[in-house]
Amino acid sequence: MITLELADVEIDYCTDCGGIWLDAGELELLLSDREKARQLLDSFKVDKTSTENVRKCPICDKKMRKIIVGESKPTLLIDKCRRGDGLWFDRGEIQDIFNRAKLDRDNKIQKLLADMFSHGQEKQN
Ligand SMILES: [Zn+2]
């Protein structure tokens, strides 16, 4: 994993899979609107029926929980450390969460993410 800076927040990016790890509190930092951030975090529900591969937390190495974000379909599932170390987003999921919650009124984060990942996507295609 490499460290990237996104809107003054240091995020961990996996160059192999395109996933992103946010330490506890970093998602809140990225969401400039505090009230919307709280609503988003309140919408997290543990999914006990998911068949997605279980991931391990990069900090404590324990199996993480699958978390359903909000109510919208298709279901967005992210991974959350049971101890609260942080959140894991598979490739594209962090863009998804910003889109769905309409958190980023001026699209600042979306643009940064697009810039950050456009190079890797070009290589893939
Ligand atoms: Zn952990």
Side-chain angles (χ1 to χ4, degrees):
M1 291 220 280
I2 58 169
T3 304
L4 298 174
E5 206 178 285
L6 179 66
D8 297 326
V9 179
E10 282 196 351
I11 64 172
D12 296 294
Y13 173 63
C14 175
T15 50
D16 291 332
C17 71
I20 287 175
W21 169 259
L22 295 181
D23 289 322
E26 287 183 338
L27 182 62
E28 292 90 322
L29 286 177
L30 288 173
L31 307 173
S32 40
D33 185 324
R34 215 176 261 217
E35 178 60 21
K36 283 193 174 174
R38 199 183 54 77
Q39 282 174 19
L40 180 71
L41 295 172
D42 284 351
S43 80
F44 286 8
K45 279 194 297 276
V46 176
D47 182 4
K48 294 182 177 125
T49 59
S50 169
T51 52
E52 253 190 34
N53 284 342
V54 173
R55 290 186 179 278
K56 283 185 177 175
C57 172
I59 294 180
C60 68
D61 206 36
K62 296 231 162 69
K63 285 177 183 170
M64 293 195 281
R65 284 201 167 110
K66 297 290 173 190
I67 298 290
I68 302 170
V69 179
E71 306 281 339
S72 49
K73 305 280 174 184
T75 304
L76 173 59
L77 268 188
I78 62 172
D79 300 85
K80 183 173 190 276
C81 169
R82 288 162 194 267
R83 300 194 321 169
D85 292 327
L87 301 167
W88 176 263
F89 299 84
D90 292 330
R91 176 189 287 275
E93 287 180 348
I94 196 157
Q95 288 94 325
D96 208 357
I97 207 170
F98 278 94
N99 275 333
R100 284 168 190 246
K102 301 188 174 55
L103 291 159
D104 190 15
R105 257 168 295 184
D106 54 3
N107 285 322
K108 189 179 75 170
I109 303 285
Q110 296 284 17
K111 277 183 200 140
L112 288 168
L113 287 167
D115 286 350
M116 201 176 271
F117 301 120
S118 58
H119 186 61
Q121 278 159 12
E122 276 160 28
K123 264 198 306 197
Q124 253 197 354
N125 302 332

